Amino acid sequence: LELGIAATVLASTPLVDNYPSALVKAYHWTGGAFVPMNAILFGIAMSLMLVPTLLMGGTFPIISRIVVNRLGGFVRGVGVAYALNTLGGIIGAVTAAFIVLPAASMGAQRGILLSAACNGLLGIALAFMSGKKLRWPVALGGAALLGALMSPAATPWDTKKLGSGIYYDLQDIESIQDMEDRLAKEILLYEGEDSSAMVLVSRNQENRSIALHINGKPVASSGFMDMVIEYMLGHLPVILTADPKEVV
C-alpha cells in the first residue's frame, strides 16, 4: 500500500500542469452549464486524489489487524491503533503546515514529492523486513518504479499558469492557444507560497497594469476599474465618519 501511495502520487503530480487546459476544454464542451461543468471539475479532482486517498485509507485496517494480533485483544488493539492513527494525523498536519510548506523553496509540489518519497521508502523498508521470499524483488522493483516516476514528477509546475486565475476568465478564452497567448503577455514579478496561500504578482506587457493573485484569484490590480473601486473603498470610511482621523 505504501508503495502504491507513492507511485500514484508521483504519477499524478505531472498532470497538475494540464488542469488549466482541461478547464478551458471543459468550458467549451459544456458551454459553461452548471451541472456538466461541475461534474467535469469533480472528475478532474477525483482523478488526482481518488486512488492515493483510497490506498491511504486502506492502511488503517491493516495496521489495526497487526496491532490486534500482537496485543491479543480486539477492543484494546483497535483503540491503540486508532489512537496512534489520530496522533500521526495530527503530527503530519502540523509538520506539513508549519515545517514542510513554509520551508525555503519547498512549496506544495516539493512537499508532495517529499511525502511520496517517505511513503515509498517506508514501503520498501516494510517489504524488506517482511521476511517473505519475494521481499527483495518487491523492494528493488518498488525502488526502480519510484526512481522512474520521480524525474517527471519533479518537473516544476508552471506557477504562472496555475496561479493566474484562468478559471475566472473562461468565458473570454477562446482556446488553449488563446490562454497561452494571454499568459505570455504576463511578466511574473513575484511568486511565493506558504501553508495558507500561493501569491503571484504579474505585469501585463500590453497595458502595463500590475495584478495580485492569491490562490489563483485576482484580488487587486492597477487597472482603471480596479483603481476606481479601490479608491472608493478607501474613501468611504473617511466620508462616513465625523472625524476622519479615527479611520486612520
Side-chain angles (χ1 to χ4, degrees):
L1 286 177
E2 293 293 341
L3 286 172
I5 293 169
T8 53
V9 168
L10 292 176
S12 60
T13 299
L15 302 177
V16 173
D17 254 356
N18 297 319
Y19 286 165
S21 299
L23 289 179
V24 174
K25 289 184 178 179
Y27 186 85
H28 288 286
W29 287 340
T30 63
F34 180 81
V35 173
M37 183 66 184
N38 280 276
I40 292 176
L41 293 179
F42 180 79
I44 290 174
M46 287 298 98
S47 70
L48 181 67
M49 298 184 295
L50 182 61
V51 177
T53 52
L54 284 176
L55 294 175
M56 291 176 189
T59 60
F60 180 71
I62 294 176
I63 292 174
S64 297
R65 181 177 179 180
I66 294 172
V67 174
V68 167
N69 289 338
R70 293 201 173 185
L71 295 181
F74 178 79
V75 175
R76 183 186 177 192
V78 172
V80 170
Y82 200 92
L84 292 174
N85 185 66
T86 302
L87 179 62
I90 294 172
I91 294 173
V94 171
T95 302
F98 297 102
I99 298 176
V100 176
L101 287 179
S105 302
M106 181 61 73
Q109 183 182 13
R110 291 187 178 90
I112 291 172
L113 295 180
L114 177 62
S115 300
C118 291
N119 284 116
L121 292 174
L122 178 59
I124 293 171
L126 290 174
F128 182 73
M129 295 167 58
S130 65
K132 296 181 179 179
K133 294 182 179 180
L134 295 177
R135 64 182 185 275
W136 275 106
V138 171
L140 293 176
L145 177 62
L146 297 180
L149 293 173
M150 182 61 74
S151 179
T155 301
W157 288 341
D158 188 342
T159 52
K160 184 166 69 171
K161 182 190 294 185
L162 295 174
S164 59
I166 293 296
Y167 51 89
Y168 277 90
D169 300 315
L170 288 175
Q171 68 279 4
D172 299 323
I173 299 176
E174 298 178 357
S175 64
I176 294 176
Q177 185 59 51
D178 184 30
M179 177 191 72
E180 298 290 348
D181 293 340
R182 288 168 180 256
L183 290 172
K185 296 175 183 177
E186 299 291 331
I187 300 175
L188 198 59
L189 303 178
Y190 172 81
E191 61 175 305
E193 188 178 7
D194 63 9
S195 58
S196 61
M198 172 192 287
V199 178
L200 298 182
V201 179
S202 62
R203 175 186 288 120
N204 188 283
Q205 296 184 67
E206 286 189 343
N207 56 30
R208 308 300 295 173
S209 64
I210 297 175
L212 169 67
H213 296 81
I214 298 179
N215 288 333
K217 180 181 179 181
V219 296
S221 81
S222 60
F224 176 75
M225 288 306 300
D226 276 352
M227 291 302 295
V228 170
I229 295 172
E230 288 156 15
Y231 272 117
M232 181 187 69
L233 292 175
H235 283 100
L236 274 178
V238 178
I239 296 172
L240 297 176
T241 184
D243 185 4
K245 292 181 178 180
E246 292 181 359
V247 177
V248 178

